[in-house]
Amino acid sequence: MIKQVEWSENPLTSQQVVEFEPEVKPQQLQRTENQVTASPVEDLEEEVELNPPANPNRSVVESVGAIPNQLYERLGLTMPRWLLWIMTVVIGIILSGLLVSILALWTPLWSNLDRTDEDLGTTTKDEVKIPLPGELWSKLSQYQLSRPMNILIMGIEPVNGTVDGSPESFAGKSDTMLLVRLNPSDKSVRVLSIPKDTMIAIPEKGEKGLTKVSDANAKGGPVLAARVVSRTLNNAPIDRYIRISTSGLRQLVDQLGGVEVFVPQSMEYKDSSSRLSINLVSGWQTLNGEQAEQFVRFREPGLGDLPRVQRQQALIAALLQRLNSPTVLPRLPQLTRLMRKYFDSNLKMEEMMALVNFGLNLDRDNFQMTVLPGTFSRFSKDPDSYWLNMTGQQSLLNDYVGVNVPGLKPDMRQVPNLKIAIQNASNQPQLTEKVIAYLKHKGFTNIYKVPDWPDTQRQTQIVVQKGNRQVGVDLQKVLGLGQIEVAAIGDLESDLTIRIGKDWK
């Protein structure tokens, strides 16, 4: 039976989830304290003959021992008695094994690995029994999404004087903010990165003027943060939230055995006040939890939050690839305990199951990312302030948020008129001018080259910056090659970035 998880229409309110009742209860097996010691068959027979029971009803041992003798006499077998004994024992073992196998197939796999002391000792008779994580993971495929869902994910900055994982540790500013939309109708996951310096208003708190979106959680918690993001995106529905504490990302990456990412440049930074020290070398490497945190928190001067958003999306893609590894799937129940401590969310356990099941069956082309459209103000007192600009972004709002704005038009420009950056990743300098000449011959008018990508790539990559995969497909048809990547990891000024690989002839 498939369980479809319905999400509450009221944003950020806990929905009532029908209690999960297992169809088959686990059998309780009792083990005797006395262990049975095997003895030779000849000794057993001698004991039965020398010590007949006084009770006219034969003992169990005598009854079992008499069965082969009766079969021997009735069937008129000519084989030695000792051979018949051996065959009887072997057949008995086989039948016992088949019985145990049948019971195992019909009995659910129950696990107590994730039960804490509270789970084992504080449940009263009047409380409703909540299924254990191990019980749910064994029935993962039963949980499915029934309609689109928007989740606001926030990575919280460290809060001085708090214990990581405590309620107080989730009260800081949001260093990272993502709006994730899961849509079962087209089986897609779309991630909208929201720069932390995006300017917003918080009238509920009596604030005058504007402030940055990263302040919302510190001023009013996840409810206020969700309300501010929703209003900024034309009252977009936000069904659930997830807040990750300082150590949450580190612990998650370590539990997964690290993640493999490409570090585009050396990163060095030290801040004694926040106890943040960053020291990463460039190149491909498997980052542990502490290094992954350094990778996403490093911030170049003068470029605002966008380069950091790009690294966050690169890490998200690496995490997703790691989660899809067959070696990680058995660890998912153990990750539940980690999430209880370092993740704060109003997601129900059954909803988490549906999300994981949805992600495990996700096609790579249906996982897409982009960044909230906007620009940095050159006239603001704060050069890092990021101002929203949704002109021509109707398609983005519809696909990534689920909102249609009356009067807002989609971007109707054809691919030859889009702004396309050419980036050489082939280690063959002559290819840059060759690609530019080819595209101009095809009628492309807005083409420019950017510094070479430091990692040599075998395959040409088409990076779709603005979230619309179709324009990447159209460009792929023109080039006749290229792997499409829908993510904001290309040149920041471009609509599309072509990273030339060795496959370009």
Side-chain angles (χ1 to χ4, degrees):
M1 179 177 64
I2 303 299
K3 299 178 182 294
Q4 288 191 340
V5 179
E6 286 281 354
W7 313 104
S8 171
E9 295 292 345
N10 186 15
L12 301 178
T13 58
S14 300
Q15 69 176 56
Q16 299 295 327
V17 179
V18 179
E19 179 189 0
F20 177 81
E21 290 290 346
E23 297 180 359
V24 182
K25 296 183 178 180
Q27 296 187 358
Q28 296 180 348
L29 303 179
Q30 305 235 343
R31 184 176 59 184
T32 58
E33 296 295 333
N34 298 327
Q35 296 182 351
V36 179
T37 304
S39 61
V41 177
E42 292 79 6
D43 295 341
L44 180 60
E45 288 182 337
E46 183 179 356
E47 184 180 352
V48 172
E49 293 178 1
L50 294 177
N51 299 289
N55 194 322
N57 295 326
R58 293 181 299 175
S59 66
V60 174
V61 174
E62 183 180 4
S63 300
V64 173
I67 291 176
N69 294 328
Q70 294 175 5
L71 289 173
Y72 189 90
E73 295 172 357
R74 292 195 178 190
L75 297 177
L77 299 175
T78 59
M79 69 177 67
R81 291 177 181 270
W82 62 268
L83 181 57
L84 180 60
W85 268 97
I86 293 176
M87 292 180 61
T88 304
V89 173
V90 172
I91 294 174
I93 293 174
I94 294 174
L95 292 176
S96 300
L98 290 174
L99 178 60
V100 171
S101 300
I102 293 172
L103 289 175
L105 289 174
W106 283 95
T107 305
L109 299 176
W110 306 97
S111 172
N112 290 328
L113 293 176
D114 299 303
R115 296 194 76 173
T116 62
D117 294 337
E118 295 180 356
D119 295 328
L120 294 171
T122 60
T123 303
T124 62
K125 294 182 179 180
D126 296 331
E127 292 177 343
V128 177
K129 180 183 177 182
I130 300 175
L132 301 177
E135 302 173 11
L136 293 176
W137 288 115
S138 64
K139 299 179 178 294
L140 181 65
S141 60
Q142 294 185 4
Y143 295 87
Q144 295 185 0
L145 293 181
S146 60
R147 69 174 180 84
M149 179 185 186
N150 291 347
I151 304 176
L152 181 64
I153 300 178
M154 293 177 283
I156 306 302
E157 291 182 351
V159 180
N160 293 331
T162 64
V163 177
D164 201 15
S166 65
E168 296 78 16
S169 67
F170 293 103
K173 295 181 180 181
S174 54
D175 197 44
T176 303
M177 188 170 283
L178 308 169
L179 185 61
V180 181
R181 180 171 178 80
L182 304 98
N183 192 345
S185 62
D186 59 3
K187 299 179 181 179
S188 67
V189 173
R190 292 184 172 90
V191 179
L192 180 66
S193 293
I194 303 174
K196 60 177 294 186
D197 299 321
T198 302
M199 303 305 295
I200 50 92
I202 309 180
E204 290 88 344
K205 294 296 178 180
E207 299 285 342
K208 295 182 178 180
L210 300 173
T211 187
K212 295 182 178 180
V213 70
S214 59
D215 295 335
N217 181 75
K219 293 179 179 296
V223 174
L224 178 60
R227 187 179 303 154
V228 166
V229 172
S230 173
R231 186 184 326 177
T232 302
L233 298 175
N234 200 52
N235 296 323
I238 297 181
D239 303 283
R240 294 290 183 265
Y241 72 85
I242 299 175
R243 294 189 296 180
I244 307 174
S245 72
T246 308
S247 296
L249 176 63
R250 296 200 303 264
Q251 295 291 335
L252 175 61
V253 172
D254 286 338
Q255 286 291 328
L256 294 176
V259 290
E260 187 178 14
V261 299
F262 178 75
V263 182
Q265 64 185 40
S266 298
M267 301 177 184
E268 294 183 5
Y269 176 78
K270 190 170 184 179
D271 185 356
S272 56
S273 61
S274 63
R275 295 179 296 178
L276 176 63
S277 178
I278 299 175
N279 186 11
L280 295 175
V281 297
S282 61
W284 280 101
Q285 51 194 295
T286 300
L287 303 181
N288 60 26
E290 183 179 357
Q291 292 170 328
E293 181 187 8
Q294 296 175 13
F295 180 71
V296 297
R297 292 192 65 186
F298 180 75
R299 186 165 178 166
E300 298 92 327
L303 295 175
D305 198 43
L306 291 186
R308 213 161 59 114
V309 167
Q310 291 184 311
R311 290 193 300 275
Q312 291 168 4
Q313 293 196 0
L315 183 67
I316 291 172
L319 281 171
L320 182 65
Q321 185 175 4
R322 186 77 180 109
L323 285 168
N324 285 332
S325 171
T327 60
V328 172
L329 184 58
R331 302 184 194 177
L332 291 179
Q334 283 76 12
L335 292 175
T336 306
R337 180 176 295 178
L338 173 70
M339 294 179 65
R340 289 176 181 173
K341 182 175 182 180
Y342 297 107
F343 289 61
D344 171 57
S345 176
N346 58 351
L347 279 166
K348 298 292 185 181
M349 179 60 70
E350 290 82 354
E351 296 170 348
M352 293 183 187
M353 301 292 295
L355 297 182
V356 173
N357 187 32
F358 189 82
L360 291 176
N361 295 284
L362 180 68
D363 186 87
R364 182 184 179 280
D365 291 339
N366 288 336
F367 181 77
Q368 303 171 16
M369 296 182 285
T370 190
V371 64
L372 186 69
T375 56
F376 288 100
S377 174
R378 298 179 180 179
F379 307 101
S380 174
K381 293 181 180 180
D382 183 357
D384 293 333
S385 58
Y386 188 76
W387 299 88
L388 186 67
N389 182 8
M390 298 303 294
T391 303
Q393 299 297 333
Q394 177 56 64
S395 298
L396 183 144
L397 277 176
N398 185 47
D399 293 340
Y400 284 78
V401 183
V403 171
N404 289 312
V405 181
L408 185 62
K409 298 180 179 180
D411 187 351
M412 301 300 295
R413 291 178 298 165
Q414 298 298 312
V415 174
N417 298 324
L418 295 178
K419 196 171 184 180
I420 300 177
I422 309 299
Q423 189 171 48
N424 200 328
S426 68
N427 201 24
Q428 302 176 51
Q430 71 277 8
L431 287 183
T432 302
E433 296 301 328
K434 185 176 180 180
V435 172
I436 292 176
Y438 175 81
L439 290 175
K440 287 183 176 180
H441 177 72
K442 291 290 184 178
F444 286 74
T445 58
N446 199 351
I447 307 168
Y448 63 100
K449 63 180 179 179
V450 295
D452 293 351
W453 183 244
D455 178 37
T456 301
Q457 295 186 176
R458 182 180 58 84
Q459 189 175 9
T460 297
Q461 189 178 30
I462 300 173
V463 181
V464 181
Q465 281 283 125
K466 302 301 176 62
N468 181 10
R469 190 175 189 276
Q470 185 56 48
V471 296
V473 174
D474 295 340
L475 180 57
Q476 185 186 53
K477 293 178 181 178
V478 175
L479 300 179
L481 49 75
Q483 178 183 358
I484 301 173
E485 187 77 21
V486 184
I489 58 175
D491 183 70
L492 293 174
E493 299 295 327
S494 70
D495 296 307
L496 295 160
T497 297
I498 301 176
R499 282 185 182 154
I500 310 169
K502 289 185 175 181
D503 57 347
W504 189 283
K505 305 300 181 183

